[in-house]
Amino acid sequence: MENQTTPTEFILSGFSKLWGLRFLLLGIISIIYVFTLLGNMLILLLSLVQPCLRTPMYLFLGNLSLLDICQTTTTIPQMLQHLLSGSSSISYASCMAQLYFFLLFVGAEGILLATMAYDRYVAICNPLHYTVLISNKLCSTLVAASWLIGCLNAAVHTVLTIHLSFCGVNRLSYFYCDIPPLLAVSCRDISLNVTMTVVSSLFLGWGPSLCIILSYMHIMFKILKMQSSQGRRKAFSTCASHLMVVLLYYGSCIFTYIRPISNYSLDKDRLISLLYSLITPMLNPIIYTLRNKDVKGAMKKVFDRKMFF
């Protein structure tokens, strides 16, 4: 009979075909991680210490930066440790913990991006009612809800994954523990896991995506009706950075999760997983910094004050 006991560890073989370049990859990923931490920490600190950034938009942006810091810290240090030591093993308990926290932060970010789209919709389409519709209490509630939904989604998928059997197979063709590679090596019926993946994709993927699309359709119609070209440029500038982040995030997540399980290809998924686990968190602070005059102004104030003292 096949051995269906739970493995004590998994082997993450995502870098196996590039093992000869592991020290080059170690350097590149280390640089990306440092830039990700510094950029997102800068935005997070600016949103906390600068009075001009204590608005709902920057409350959401600060939480987005916090999620990116947490998400990358869940996966990248383990990647670096594997590249440095030459050992690609991860204990079963660590794998399940990594799966839980990664899904938590990814799920919460999806809800938060939809919330940010609604914030931009109200700011541009109903500016006179903005302070009434987007109160501090509502913002705090929406942020807390995004974290709570992320926690619940991660808990469901992690519990379902824990109940899977692997028949002695413990090699995952991935860089970290995630749903697709774990389902691919399971020897137990995964229909319930697939069903829950589809359900969560509808609520955390297609649902927020639809809200974002509708919000930006209204925003674009409002911008096109503006008489002032300066007003159009200002309104478009405030939304362009958020749109770029949304496209990067949802483009990669839809490819990985929001499609039939029969279409999974771990070779392609590995490349896409690097996009939303490495590249997107690094680009978020760059996009918001370069495209946002308020953030650049707050940075200038901080650095001018440091130079003065």
Side-chain angles (χ1 to χ4, degrees), residues 25-38:
L25 292 171
L26 178 67
I28 293 173
I29 295 175
S30 297
I31 292 172
I32 291 174
Y33 185 46
V34 170
F35 273 101
T36 300
L37 289 182
L38 292 178

Side-chain angles (χ1 to χ4, degrees), residues 16 29 35 42 59 91 146 176 206 208 308:
S16 59
I29 295 175
F35 273 101
L42 176 62
L59 172 64
S91 70
S146 67
Y176 50 85
W206 291 113
F308 179 77

Side-chain angles (χ1 to χ4, degrees), residues 274-292:
L274 289 180
L275 178 62
Y276 65 83
S277 63
L278 284 176
I279 307 302
T280 303
M282 179 188 69
L283 291 180
N284 282 353
I286 297 175
I287 291 171
Y288 279 110
T289 301
L290 295 179
R291 300 284 307 181
N292 193 296

Side-chain angles (χ1 to χ4, degrees), residues 148-301:
L148 179 59
I149 292 171
C151 288
L152 294 175
N153 176 66
V156 169
H157 287 291
T158 304
V159 169
L160 290 174
T161 304
I162 288 173
H163 285 86
L164 292 176
S165 299
F166 298 96
C167 301
V169 179
N170 69 339
R171 183 174 292 274
L172 306 180
S173 299
Y174 230 64
F175 304 107
Y176 50 85
C177 293
D178 200 1
I179 294 176
L182 288 166
L183 294 184
V185 300
S186 174
C187 61
R188 188 176 179 177
D189 180 25
I190 60 172
S191 57
L192 179 59
N193 300 71
V194 173
T195 300
M196 291 308 301
T197 301
V198 172
V199 170
S200 64
S201 296
L202 290 174
F203 284 100
L204 300 182
W206 291 113
S209 297
L210 181 60
C211 292
I212 292 170
I213 291 171
L214 291 175
S215 295
Y216 276 98
M217 285 177 63
H218 283 88
I219 288 172
M220 291 305 298
F221 288 138
K222 183 69 174 181
I223 291 175
L224 292 175
K225 290 180 180 179
M226 290 181 177
Q227 299 296 324
S228 169
S229 59
Q230 184 178 358
R232 286 197 298 267
R233 284 196 300 269
K234 183 178 180 181
F236 182 77
S237 178
T238 60
C239 297
S241 56
H242 183 238
L243 262 179
M244 292 174 69
V245 172
V246 166
L247 291 174
L248 285 171
Y249 174 84
Y250 279 103
S252 55
C253 285
I254 285 173
F255 185 89
T256 302
Y257 299 107
I258 313 175
R259 59 195 171 101
I261 193 73
S262 58
N263 292 339
Y264 280 162
S265 170
L266 292 183
D267 289 335
K268 295 179 180 178
D269 286 357
R270 282 200 300 267
L271 297 177
I272 298 299
S273 70
L274 289 180
L275 178 62
Y276 65 83
S277 63
L278 284 176
I279 307 302
T280 303
M282 179 188 69
L283 291 180
N284 282 353
I286 297 175
I287 291 171
Y288 279 110
T289 301
L290 295 179
R291 300 284 307 181
N292 193 296
K293 293 181 179 179
D294 292 335
V295 174
K296 289 190 287 188
M299 288 175 58
K300 188 175 184 300
K301 289 180 182 178

Side-chain angles (χ1 to χ4, degrees), residues 1-236:
M1 293 179 63
E2 290 182 306
N3 178 18
Q4 294 193 9
T5 58
T6 301
T8 58
E9 66 178 15
F10 288 103
I11 305 298
L12 298 172
S13 58
F15 291 113
S16 59
K17 294 182 180 179
L18 301 170
W19 201 244
L21 302 173
R22 66 187 181 102
F23 290 112
L24 175 62
L25 292 171
L26 178 67
I28 293 173
I29 295 175
S30 297
I31 292 172
I32 291 174
Y33 185 46
V34 170
F35 273 101
T36 300
L37 289 182
L38 292 178
N40 283 289
M41 287 176 66
L42 176 62
I43 290 182
L44 182 60
L45 290 173
L46 286 175
S47 66
L48 292 174
V49 303
Q50 284 296 308
C52 63
L53 299 184
R54 291 174 186 170
T55 63
M57 176 182 175
Y58 295 104
L59 172 64
F60 298 139
L61 181 56
N63 273 272
L64 180 65
S65 294
L66 179 59
L67 285 168
D68 284 336
I69 291 170
C70 294
Q71 178 190 324
T72 53
T73 303
T74 301
T75 56
I76 295 183
Q78 167 251 314
M79 291 185 199
L80 297 177
Q81 188 269 327
H82 287 175
L83 289 170
L84 185 62
S85 66
S87 172
S88 300
S89 63
I90 181 173
S91 70
Y92 179 83
S94 297
C95 183
M96 293 301 105
Q98 185 181 67
L99 175 68
Y100 172 79
F101 286 108
F102 182 75
L103 293 177
L104 188 165
F105 301 132
V106 170
E109 184 164 335
I111 300 297
L112 188 64
L113 288 173
T115 303
M116 293 173 71
Y118 175 70
D119 172 75
R120 293 299 85 205
Y121 161 73
V122 176
I124 293 174
C125 298
N126 295 285
L128 298 178
H129 299 92
Y130 181 78
T131 55
V132 176
L133 295 174
I134 307 293
S135 63
N136 290 332
K137 183 179 180 180
L138 177 62
C139 292
S140 300
T141 302
L142 291 173
V143 169
S146 67
W147 282 86
L148 179 59
I149 292 171
C151 288
L152 294 175
N153 176 66
V156 169
H157 287 291
T158 304
V159 169
L160 290 174
T161 304
I162 288 173
H163 285 86
L164 292 176
S165 299
F166 298 96
C167 301
V169 179
N170 69 339
R171 183 174 292 274
L172 306 180
S173 299
Y174 230 64
F175 304 107
Y176 50 85
C177 293
D178 200 1
I179 294 176
L182 288 166
L183 294 184
V185 300
S186 174
C187 61
R188 188 176 179 177
D189 180 25
I190 60 172
S191 57
L192 179 59
N193 300 71
V194 173
T195 300
M196 291 308 301
T197 301
V198 172
V199 170
S200 64
S201 296
L202 290 174
F203 284 100
L204 300 182
W206 291 113
S209 297
L210 181 60
C211 292
I212 292 170
I213 291 171
L214 291 175
S215 295
Y216 276 98
M217 285 177 63
H218 283 88
I219 288 172
M220 291 305 298
F221 288 138
K222 183 69 174 181
I223 291 175
L224 292 175
K225 290 180 180 179
M226 290 181 177
Q227 299 296 324
S228 169
S229 59
Q230 184 178 358
R232 286 197 298 267
R233 284 196 300 269
K234 183 178 180 181
F236 182 77

